[in-house]
Amino acid sequence: MTVTEGVPADALKLPHTEPGLRVGLFGGSFNPPHAGHLLVAETAMRKLGLDRLWWMVTPGNPLKSHGELAPLAERLAASRIVARNPRIDVTAFEAAHRIRYTADALALIKAKKPDIAFVWIMGADSLATFHLWQRWRWIARTFALAVVDRPGATLSFLSSPMAVTFQRSRVDEEQAASVLSREPPAWVFLHGPRSALSSTALRKSNVRHS
């Protein structure tokens, strides 16, 4: 079975864009996707003034075990159910290009869509390990970043290597929408409604009830 088996052809292409759009990039395993993910996406869309958001379902996170990873087609279909927002494009284009690392996906996006203002979006719980990502400094120096508050992770941004390294590049939340028009590095921490849901907890719950 190939990674892309069962994945619709439209999901393996870069989503359509028009020049000048403001687009958020929200990537993850989404194993499974849940309302907490949608809350992060919609908080970012609202506070950053985004036209679109790409919900990028990855083949698999190199920093996580793939033992409990559901097939890509299954996670994509579930994400399309959860992310029922007309301005959200759920995509799995990384699998078509055999991409494993976020930096490689972002390099491809930058090359293919030079006329779009992009911002990488992640939950605050991902910030603690951001420095372990491939070419994380390049990501921060090339793309605007938005970190959305998550339960139990509110203070992580204060001590994380990324926050410390790029402390002077942090934008006040009141000026969050400006992060897309600034020369990177530029990042913002966004507060908003929070959900305690987690993919790990949901997987454990499904195991107990199966």
Side-chain angles (χ1 to χ4, degrees), residues 10-207:
D10 68 303
L12 296 174
K13 300 176 182 177
L14 289 175
H16 175 74
T17 55
E18 297 291 341
L21 290 183
R22 298 163 59 87
V23 179
L25 303 172
F26 183 39
S29 302
F30 301 110
N31 186 45
H34 52 72
H37 291 133
L38 182 60
L39 198 56
V40 168
E42 292 187 330
T43 295
M45 291 175 73
R46 183 178 68 257
K47 294 207 167 192
L48 299 172
L50 302 181
D51 299 302
R52 310 287 303 179
L53 180 136
W54 294 4
W55 183 296
M56 297 160 49
V57 186
T58 67
N61 186 334
L63 295 179
K64 295 181 180 179
S65 168
H66 291 189
E68 298 179 336
L69 189 65
L72 178 60
E74 184 179 313
R75 291 181 284 122
L76 179 83
S79 291
R80 287 185 163 176
I81 292 173
V82 171
R84 283 183 171 169
N85 182 312
R87 293 192 292 128
I88 294 179
D89 299 298
V90 179
T91 176
F93 75 86
E94 290 169 275
H97 294 273
R98 299 181 180 179
I99 290 173
R100 290 188 64 219
Y101 299 107
T102 296
D104 294 331
L106 293 180
L108 175 69
I109 291 170
K110 185 175 177 62
K112 297 286 188 180
K113 304 281 187 176
D115 53 359
I116 303 297
F118 287 109
V119 55
W120 177 258
I121 298 161
M122 59 184 167
D125 47 339
S126 296
L127 194 62
T129 57
F130 185 69
H131 63 288
L132 300 177
W133 295 19
Q134 286 280 328
R135 297 162 62 200
W136 67 276
R137 289 184 177 85
W138 175 87
I139 295 174
R141 290 185 176 123
T142 309
F143 283 79
L145 304 178
V147 182
V148 183
D149 198 9
R150 288 278 289 147
T154 304
L155 299 179
S156 66
F157 78 96
L158 292 174
S159 57
S160 70
M162 196 290 275
V164 172
T165 301
F166 295 102
Q167 181 179 3
R168 294 183 179 181
S169 303
R170 184 181 170 198
V171 176
D172 289 339
E173 188 170 3
E174 292 75 16
Q175 299 177 319
S178 73
V179 76
L180 283 88
S181 58
R182 294 172 183 251
E183 187 71 24
W187 66 284
V188 62
F189 191 90
L190 303 176
H191 296 85
R194 300 186 303 174
S195 168
L197 290 172
S198 78
S199 295
T200 301
L202 289 174
R203 288 197 302 274
K204 290 181 179 177
S205 176
N206 288 337
V207 169

